Amino acid sequence: MAGKNKKQTTDNGLAAGPAVAVGGPDDKNELLNIKGLVIKFHTDDGIVSAVNGLDLKLNAGETLGLVGETGAGKTTTALAIMGLIDSPPGRIHDGGIVYKGRDLLEIKEEEYLKIRGKEISMIFQDPMTALNPVMTVVDQIAEVIENHQGVDGREAEKRATEMLKIVRIPPERAHEYPHQFSGGMKQRVVIAIALACNPSLLIADEPTTALDVTIQAQVLEMMKDLRKEFNTSMIMITHDFGIVAETCDRVAIMYAGEIMESGTLRDIFKDARHPYTIGLFGAIPNLEVETEYLYQIEGLMPDPMELPTGCPFSPRCAYAEELCRKEGPGKTVLPGEDHIVKCHIHAGALETKEIRRDMGI
């Protein structure tokens, strides 16, 4: 568990000194601050570098969209926040996850148990595997309430039934089992479990992936309403820019375990700067333009066991030069509200000064 990572480790498992020093919140609105997070999985086949120096911030009341291809490290980051990295094989080698001024990597597992589910909750990707098939849905919600709010079983069941009503499931179905519900209703039960204790931070890991378009829209609308009602901050993990546009205040684009670009919704949608971000937008079909072929970013996400030196996106980037293949870019702050990009172009180190924005046309 992440809560047991009291020391940093090197690839051979030896202690490597204290963790990176991470202070309290930069301002009173800051809820979560991840700095320099490095997560590796030590397997028989080699070392998997899942998260590589990730920096991420979330303010109270905000929704952050975490976007990237499969294998970018989004879910691993979420599990690290929840303290659910299996060790072995996973190890948090470096960095800090500061929540309300406390580094979660420095607390004991007993303390984590009090935070997980009560202050930080997660909506898992697949409700079919997230729910216990041999427990009624009301019992699964009541279990969370009873554990974290110190009430007896009868009161916990009463509150659980109220939560079902909030997520628009009739109370008379409270004593049914997960297999008796549709996919959309199962996801609503998972949301009810996550919100049962009114958490400060909700992590939604692709919560609408298994749902059809109509049910997806209903679930997203319900989540927006509940977030306002409970004043909950949220990290929305998704592949879908449409979901980001509907639900998020800020956006972070993740690739090969790093944040390549981050900023406000307007910064990313109206003024994207990184070649990867622009490529992702270019891959969205344009309904107003007829085209024979859809644009795609050439190549695949790099193997996390064999990450390229330099910029991780350089093997797929049309603008990459020798510097990109040798040296990873630092952060460049752009005009906007905390608009940050990791690209040598915007650091002024390459001959290319401008990136085409007409991809996919």
Side-chain angles (χ1 to χ4, degrees):
M1 295 292 184
K4 297 179 182 178
N5 287 292
K6 302 305 290 179
K7 291 184 179 180
Q8 308 308 307
T9 56
T10 60
D11 291 350
N12 60 13
L14 299 177
V20 172
V22 181
D26 293 337
D27 59 68
K28 61 183 179 181
N29 292 322
E30 189 175 282
L31 182 72
L32 181 73
N33 189 350
I34 303 175
K35 292 187 177 182
L37 185 64
V38 177
I39 303 173
K40 298 183 181 183
F41 292 87
H42 297 253
T43 70
D44 293 339
D45 296 324
I47 297 173
V48 178
S49 299
V51 177
N52 306 296
L54 180 137
D55 296 326
L56 203 63
K57 287 184 181 181
L58 179 69
N59 290 329
E62 273 188 344
T63 296
L64 171 73
L66 191 57
V67 183
E69 295 171 88
T70 298
K74 305 183 299 298
T75 298
T76 302
T77 300
L79 292 175
I81 297 170
M82 292 291 293
L84 294 175
I85 297 292
D86 287 332
S87 180
R91 297 184 197 170
I92 297 180
H93 282 250
D94 207 350
I97 302 175
V98 179
Y99 170 74
K100 292 185 176 179
R102 299 176 66 197
D103 191 344
L104 297 180
L105 303 185
E106 296 297 320
I107 67 175
K108 296 180 180 179
E109 179 60 21
E110 294 76 25
E111 294 179 81
Y112 232 126
L113 289 173
K114 296 176 183 177
I115 294 173
R116 187 190 303 124
K118 181 180 181 182
E119 294 193 42
I120 305 176
S121 288
M122 186 166 175
I123 300 171
F124 293 93
Q125 192 172 107
D126 184 5
M128 295 290 291
T129 56
L131 294 173
N132 188 330
V134 298
M135 289 178 66
T136 63
V137 295
V138 73
D139 284 344
Q140 296 189 54
I141 302 169
E143 183 179 43
V144 178
I145 296 170
E146 194 170 351
N147 285 340
H148 289 294
Q149 296 188 346
V151 297
D152 61 27
R154 182 177 295 180
E155 178 62 23
E157 183 174 320
K158 179 181 175 183
R159 294 186 189 183
T161 304
E162 288 299 315
M163 281 304 305
L164 285 173
K165 289 167 64 177
I166 288 173
V167 297
R168 302 167 196 170
I169 292 179
E172 54 268 24
R173 301 199 62 181
H175 292 280
E176 294 182 10
Y177 292 86
H179 73 270
Q180 296 174 277
F181 291 84
S182 66
M185 294 186 82
K186 285 191 188 78
Q187 192 62 286
R188 292 182 187 188
V189 173
V190 173
I191 292 170
I193 293 171
L195 292 173
C197 294
N198 192 12
S200 299
L201 173 59
L202 177 65
I203 302 170
D205 187 6
E206 300 187 39
T208 59
T209 297
L211 309 179
D212 63 55
V213 176
T214 304
I215 302 301
Q216 180 184 94
Q218 292 175 2
V219 170
L220 287 174
E221 189 62 34
M222 183 189 68
M223 287 178 66
K224 284 170 64 178
D225 293 342
L226 293 175
R227 184 174 71 87
K228 291 177 183 176
E229 181 178 343
F230 290 95
N231 192 30
T232 302
S233 301
M234 184 164 69
I235 297 176
M236 172 69 78
I237 298 173
T238 182
H239 297 272
D240 191 333
F241 273 118
I243 291 175
V244 172
E246 286 183 29
T247 61
C248 299
D249 305 304
R250 301 184 61 78
V251 188
I253 308 297
M254 193 169 183
Y255 186 85
E258 298 182 39
I259 301 298
M260 308 309 287
E261 184 170 7
S262 63
T264 64
L265 189 68
R266 181 175 180 80
D267 287 336
I268 303 301
F269 274 69
K270 297 294 186 183
D271 193 26
R273 298 293 189 91
H274 197 282
Y276 179 58
T277 311
I278 294 172
L280 290 177
F281 279 110
I284 300 173
N286 188 337
L287 298 180
E288 298 178 355
V289 178
E290 265 193 53
T291 181
E292 188 174 354
Y293 300 104
L294 293 176
Y295 170 81
Q296 64 178 10
I297 302 173
E298 295 297 330
L300 299 170
M301 180 79 66
D303 184 345
M305 294 180 68
E306 298 180 4
L307 291 176
T309 55
C311 174
F313 187 62
S314 60
R316 303 173 69 185
C317 182
Y319 304 94
E321 298 179 19
E322 192 62 26
L323 175 64
C324 304
R325 289 181 275 272
K326 288 183 176 179
E327 186 179 318
K331 294 180 184 177
T332 300
V333 180
L334 302 173
E337 190 179 330
D338 202 22
H339 189 180
I340 295 171
V341 65
K342 292 178 76 172
C343 180
H344 287 302
I345 293 174
H346 299 290
L350 302 186
E351 291 183 15
T352 301
K353 302 300 178 188
E354 190 174 347
I355 302 170
R356 283 182 55 202
R357 296 178 180 274
D358 58 350
M359 297 176 180
I361 297 177

